[in-house]
Amino acid sequence: MSESTTANIPYGRHRERNDLSQVLPLSTPFSLLIDPSNGCNFRCVFCATGEPDLLKKIGRPRGAMKFDLFRKIVDDLAAFDAPLKSVHLYKDGEPLVNPRVDHMVHLLKARGLARHVEMTSNGSLLTRERADALLDAGLDAMRVSVYGASDAMYKRVTRKFDSFQTVVDNVAYLHRRKTELGRDFHLHCKIINVELTAEERQTFIDTFSPISDSIFVHPLHGQALAEESGFAAAPDTARKVCSEPFLKLAINFNGEVSVCCADWRMATIVGNVAEEPLIDIWNGERLRAFRLTHLEGRRDELPACRDCSYVQTLPADNNLDLFAAELIAKYRA
């Protein structure tokens, strides 16, 4: 594969970055994750969403976001003093399970309250009709999570789906249509390294390089290794402060607001947008206390954060450890 054809980079590394030590606290979050559905048509072996007994045990609800709730969220975004950098229509489930996800994209773009609207999908439900609807609605980017390089691997990983070619055809059509339309649209394909063989890895690279704008071979979440080819960065195991609560929020399908995308248990809830304005949650006492707990080096006191390795995978310029004392004073004020 030619490096000049398709960049082997994690999606998002191409965007503008900010010196967080200078811009925090934020009056407007940089980004927002909204979960159109926390259900999925796959049952991937590495994903909690694919473990119904586990979800029942911890009491995580399941459903699709109602459009009236989504409309309320969009109305709430107008209260912030600037458009968000990005809104990501994805958290715990497959967004295309929600039949109105293209209408969600259209409403966000029509209101102009986010500069960039994107989505992550497993690609299996990305039919030609749905691809056209998303492009027509104004979607800016799509990340497709590829879960196999053969029918057999798809069946082993997803436990429900076994058509590698369906995903390839769906991605190829989206790439072709966005190119024909001249859309400034970024199509990123990534594969999770679930015991990938060298042959499977190369099949993924050879197949998706011509039909993607970027690709990425991604280690399993929390997997403490770096790819020798430079696809992944080594985890930063020393980092104490997670930057996620300072930059973004994640709205679950039922309106409950988590502090980050990694909260699959819905155990970091700081408010409910169905019951209160989003700006009040962003500036509220519950989130402020959560942030201070991180800044004061007390992350272990938060059960959802205690053993989470997501903080280790965040970009180097998101490291707030050196500025903790300064930020404590700001957030206490």
Side-chain angles (χ1 to χ4, degrees):
M1 182 192 62
S2 170
E3 292 288 342
S4 62
T5 302
T6 304
N8 300 321
I9 57 172
Y11 182 74
R13 292 280 177 87
H14 59 288
R15 294 196 198 154
E16 61 180 282
R17 307 293 298 177
N18 295 89
D19 184 344
L20 297 182
S21 66
Q22 301 301 310
V23 299
L24 295 180
L26 297 176
S27 59
T28 300
F30 279 163
S31 64
L32 183 69
L33 293 96
I34 305 174
D35 205 1
S37 169
N38 73 347
C40 186
N41 59 321
F42 288 0
R43 288 190 58 213
C44 295
V45 295
F46 55 84
C47 181
T49 298
E51 300 292 345
D53 291 340
L54 171 63
L55 298 182
K56 183 178 180 180
K57 180 179 179 180
I58 67 172
R60 192 185 93 176
R62 177 176 176 174
M65 181 173 286
K66 293 179 170 54
F67 196 75
D68 284 346
L69 174 58
F70 183 83
R71 186 182 290 110
K72 195 267 183 184
I73 294 168
V74 175
D75 289 341
D76 281 4
L77 291 179
F80 289 104
D81 59 8
L84 276 66
K85 294 174 70 172
S86 64
V87 170
H88 194 103
L89 293 172
Y90 168 79
K91 183 176 177 280
D92 295 319
E94 167 54 49
L96 291 176
V97 168
N98 190 316
R100 300 201 67 184
V101 70
D102 57 312
H103 298 153
M104 294 176 174
V105 174
H106 181 267
L107 182 59
L108 276 168
K109 297 298 293 185
R111 294 288 300 274
L113 298 172
R115 286 152 46 190
H116 189 89
V117 179
E118 61 187 57
M119 181 185 302
T120 296
S121 170
N122 63 41
S124 66
L125 302 177
L126 188 63
T127 62
R128 293 187 172 199
E129 294 75 17
R130 302 207 76 179
D132 287 338
L134 290 169
L135 289 172
D136 290 345
L139 189 68
D140 295 298
M142 170 74 80
R143 295 194 298 181
V144 177
S145 296
V146 178
Y147 294 121
S150 66
D151 291 354
M153 185 178 177
Y154 256 100
K155 186 67 173 180
R156 172 172 62 85
V157 173
T158 73
R159 296 186 284 197
K160 292 191 71 175
F161 183 80
D162 62 358
S163 180
F164 173 58
Q165 193 60 46
T166 294
V167 175
V168 174
D169 291 344
N170 290 349
V171 170
Y173 178 79
L174 179 60
H175 185 266
R176 183 171 72 251
R177 284 300 296 151
K178 72 103 174 179
T179 302
E180 292 170 349
L181 294 169
R183 283 287 313 280
D184 183 15
F185 178 96
H186 192 98
L187 178 56
H188 176 79
C189 291
K190 60 188 178 74
I191 192 168
I192 306 294
N193 191 352
V194 186
E195 300 177 357
L196 270 176
T197 67
E199 182 180 1
E200 289 168 338
R201 178 190 179 115
Q202 194 61 47
T203 296
F204 164 76
I205 292 172
D206 292 343
T207 301
F208 288 94
S209 292
I211 56 175
S212 307
D213 298 308
S214 59
I215 62 172
F216 186 43
V217 177
H218 203 299
L220 277 171
H221 178 64
Q223 188 173 341
L225 58 85
E227 301 276 356
E228 68 281 355
S229 62
F231 276 72
D236 182 0
T237 56
R239 191 177 305 191
K240 295 181 174 60
V241 181
C242 182
S243 58
E244 294 296 275
F246 301 86
L247 309 180
K248 63 184 69 169
L249 289 175
I251 303 179
N252 297 288
F253 81 96
N254 61 357
E256 292 185 333
V257 179
S258 296
V259 298
C260 79
C261 64
D263 182 22
W264 62 269
R265 291 177 177 266
M266 296 172 64
T268 64
I269 302 302
V270 291
N272 191 324
V273 74
E275 302 169 355
E276 55 192 313
L278 185 60
I279 194 171
D280 288 354
I281 298 172
W282 178 250
N283 295 319
E285 179 58 31
R286 293 175 70 178
L287 186 52
R288 187 176 78 95
F290 197 99
R291 291 163 174 157
L292 285 169
T293 300
H294 273 259
L295 291 171
E296 292 168 356
R298 298 184 291 112
R299 191 176 76 208
D300 286 351
E301 297 178 13
L302 300 167
C305 301
R306 183 182 300 130
D307 298 317
C308 180
S309 59
Y310 189 62
V311 61
Q312 301 173 10
T313 69
L314 297 172
D317 57 2
N318 276 26
N319 194 333
L320 301 180
D321 287 11
L322 294 177
F323 312 103
E326 175 186 344
L327 291 172
I328 287 171
K330 289 182 178 180
Y331 280 96
R332 281 180 176 168

